[in-house]
Amino acid sequence: MSDLPRKAVTRTAKLAALPIGFAGRATWGIGKRIGGKSAEIVGRELQQRTAEQLFRVLGELKGGAMKFGQALSVFESALPEDVAGPYRAALTKLQEAAPPMPTRTVHAVLDERLGKEWRELFLEFEDKPSAAASIGQVHRAVWHDGREVAVKVQYPGAGEALLSDLTQLGRFARLLGPLIPGMDIKPLIAELRDRVSEELDYGLEARAQQAHAEEFEEDPDVVVPHVVHQCEQVLVTEWIDGIPLAEIISDGSKEQRDRAGQLLARFLFSGPARTGLLHADPHPGNFRLLPDDESGWRLGVLDFGTVDRLPGGLPSPIGDSLRLTLEGDASAIYELLREEGFVRESIRLEPDAVLDYLLPIIEPAQVEEFTFTRSWMRNQAARIADPRSPAHQLGRQLNLPPAYLLIHRVTLSTIGVLCQLGATVRLKDELEAWVPGFVVEETDTEDTDTEETGSAETGFEEEDPQPPAAEA
């Protein structure tokens, strides 16, 4: 498959064939068992064949199909170990590569968007793509001023493909549910669909990336490439070398995995505080580990096509709820969750039960450093997914307010990557440094009383002062 299938009917047929394929393999498995093979061996073969077909189709189609596959890939850690093996290889392929579109198609897009003389903008341009993703692929080149650059070219018909795929995937979301225990697939697909227009707008992506590049310009830990040029369907940014995070996951040293994990957590929590934006696509294909003489390694961050706009940084109720849970204040955390809409007005829960539900999830924030593992992730998923579990029963009664949807997915995805890395991370340090509300700041009571009295006497509320610009 060398090009993006553009006809909705073609894409729909391929996706619709997946459930049929699942059923066919189940029948094949029964036949094998009748023929004398053990259930365990047949089960492994069935999982492997299912994984290979599912992610081959998702990768070939690119568009929304591949975007969905990439979103699933970071939750591989939650799969039971006897199932994870066959899926792991198929999933991680989606994190770094997909079949490329033909060179003639790339040239046609560049002709249309950069002009017939587009080659004059470059000293060199490699026709073979260095990476391919859900809606575009990247070519390495040298800009006319000598800078090495990455040229991202959007697939023709990408918008139509995204919408078509996600609509079709939504129709059989229930069949895909068993892939990731404890995760509701349908809201994930709906949220990806809601972001289609932003994902396709390279102008929005360029502005988000440049904001990060400027903020992290002198940062000792994080590198974000600057934007060089942008127009419809084409985005040119500075090139950065480095080891893809997928390689660190599979072959990296303990030092590399720990450093990558710490920096990933730092970027997740510091980004919104420093830029007012949350990088919302944290799968391993979007990160690189770059050698650095002083710190050993820095984290390179790519692809800002999906961001959440958080002008005040992460909402303070996140930090407040973490702090109150760690303090064991069941009543206070329950009231806060009700105020924020996590517990609907019509629902009544026991505060102590809510606290018991939350404590295992925030275990990484309870200690000075925590080692994220696949087994820990699997235990969390199993606890919430098991219908007999009190956690499952309580979780079904909780609500996720729309304002927190993307934050929730990004946090879960990042934790999934940390578990794939097996990284030991000082998560508490990052929460204390960057998450409002996690640490209670001491205030001058006398000054506060004076300000409140002055405001009351005038009969007007004082306007909030303009917050100072975030320091780099």
Side-chain angles (χ1 to χ4, degrees):
M1 198 75 179
S2 60
D3 202 356
L4 182 69
R6 296 175 62 179
K7 292 183 179 179
V9 65
T10 302
R11 306 181 65 80
T12 298
K14 280 182 171 289
L15 289 170
L18 286 174
I20 298 172
F22 298 164
R25 274 186 300 283
T27 304
W28 170 86
I30 293 170
K32 286 285 187 180
R33 289 185 64 182
I34 292 173
K37 278 199 173 184
S38 73
E40 182 180 358
I41 292 174
V42 171
R44 280 202 301 269
E45 291 180 5
L46 196 60
Q47 289 287 352
Q48 187 168 358
R49 287 169 178 245
T50 300
E52 287 173 353
Q53 186 210 4
L54 174 63
F55 295 105
R56 184 181 66 252
V57 171
L58 296 183
E60 285 178 351
L61 289 177
K62 307 187 185 81
M66 185 176 176
K67 177 63 66 179
F68 170 68
Q70 287 174 332
L72 281 186
S73 72
V74 298
F75 296 106
E76 166 267 317
S77 303
L79 292 169
E81 189 55 40
D82 59 341
V83 174
Y87 279 100
R88 192 169 294 149
L91 280 163
T92 51
K93 287 178 183 177
L94 285 172
Q95 296 172 346
E96 279 296 324
M101 62 178 160
T103 301
R104 65 180 183 278
T105 306
V106 176
H107 290 180
V109 173
L110 295 176
D111 280 348
E112 182 179 356
R113 301 305 178 188
L114 297 181
K116 295 292 185 181
E117 307 301 322
W118 63 266
R119 286 194 179 274
E120 294 181 5
L121 296 172
F122 303 95
L123 298 179
E124 298 176 20
F125 184 90
E126 295 182 7
D127 284 333
K128 182 180 179 181
S130 59
S134 53
I135 67 166
Q137 65 188 35
V138 177
H139 294 259
R140 191 167 186 167
V142 178
W143 196 241
H144 57 79
D145 61 7
R147 281 182 290 176
E148 281 195 275
V149 294
V151 184
K152 182 151 71 170
V153 182
Q154 191 174 115
Y155 303 127
E160 178 187 345
L162 276 168
L163 288 170
S164 171
D165 293 349
L166 294 172
T167 298
Q168 182 64 23
L169 285 165
R171 288 174 183 152
F172 58 85
R174 186 174 296 178
L175 291 171
L176 300 173
L179 288 173
I180 306 293
M183 181 180 177
D184 193 348
I185 297 292
K186 201 156 191 173
L188 171 62
I189 295 173
E191 192 252 302
L192 291 174
R193 185 182 172 90
D194 289 344
R195 298 268 163 184
V196 165
S197 59
E198 290 188 18
E199 187 84 9
L200 295 167
D201 190 334
Y202 279 2
L204 287 175
E205 179 174 350
R207 290 192 288 277
Q209 179 160 338
Q210 189 59 23
H212 281 83
E214 292 173 4
E215 174 60 36
F216 287 90
E217 178 78 54
E218 303 297 331
D219 194 275
D221 300 318
V222 175
V223 180
V224 178
H226 282 264
V227 174
V228 175
H229 181 80
Q230 180 271 321
C231 61
E232 189 176 353
Q233 287 189 282
V234 179
L235 177 61
V236 183
T237 64
E238 293 174 335
W239 179 273
I240 58 171
D241 284 305
I243 307 172
L245 208 59
E247 291 183 21
I248 301 296
I249 289 171
S250 61
D251 302 312
S253 67
K254 177 63 175 169
E255 176 197 0
Q256 289 173 323
R257 288 184 284 113
D258 287 350
R259 179 66 174 164
Q262 189 71 47
L263 297 185
L264 195 62
R266 184 165 302 162
F267 179 71
L268 167 68
F269 293 116
S270 70
R274 296 172 62 173
T275 67
L277 299 168
L278 174 69
H279 182 287
D281 195 9
H283 74 82
N286 288 338
F287 299 96
R288 302 286 185 269
L289 207 56
L290 287 66
D292 182 77
D293 292 338
E294 294 185 13
S295 61
W297 299 96
R298 299 169 79 193
L299 184 72
V301 185
L302 309 172
D303 198 336
F304 290 80
T306 306
V307 298
D308 199 6
R309 286 157 184 83
L310 303 169
L314 289 168
S316 60
I318 293 176
D320 291 332
S321 61
L322 285 168
R323 172 174 49 79
L324 293 171
T325 303
L326 291 174
E327 292 172 355
D329 194 336
S331 296
I333 185 63
Y334 181 62
E335 287 307 313
L336 178 60
L337 293 179
R338 288 188 68 83
E339 289 173 10
E340 290 298 308
F342 289 93
V343 180
R344 293 188 179 94
E345 288 294 327
S346 58
I347 299 293
R348 291 291 178 269
L349 301 172
E350 285 296 325
D352 286 336
V354 174
L355 182 64
D356 290 342
Y357 175 86
L358 294 174
L359 277 171
I361 299 172
I362 67 164
E363 184 183 357
Q366 299 178 46
V367 293
E368 294 304 312
E369 63 177 29
F370 182 83
T371 300
F372 290 86
T373 63
R374 285 184 166 94
S375 61
W376 178 81
M377 185 82 164
R378 285 196 299 271
N379 288 339
Q380 295 302 318
R383 183 176 72 95
I384 295 170
D386 186 353
R388 299 164 298 180
S389 163
H392 175 81
Q393 298 299 326
L394 190 144
R396 286 175 60 89
Q397 299 178 78
L398 295 176
N399 177 54
L400 186 58
Y404 289 91
L405 272 171
L406 198 53
I407 297 172
H408 178 70
R409 181 170 75 81
V410 171
T411 304
L412 280 182
S413 298
T414 303
I415 290 172
V417 176
L418 293 177
C419 290
Q420 289 178 333
L421 284 164
T424 299
V425 175
R426 297 180 65 85
L427 187 68
K428 193 175 180 182
D429 289 353
E430 307 304 334
L431 296 172
E432 290 176 347
W434 301 109
V435 179
F438 187 74
V439 176
V440 178
E441 297 182 6
E442 294 183 6
T443 57
D444 190 319
T445 306
E446 185 177 342
D447 288 348
T448 302
D449 291 343
T450 302
E451 289 172 8
E452 289 175 354
T453 303
S455 178
E457 286 176 352
T458 60
F460 294 96
E461 291 185 4
E462 294 181 0
E463 291 185 2
D464 290 333
Q466 187 68 24
E471 294 179 359

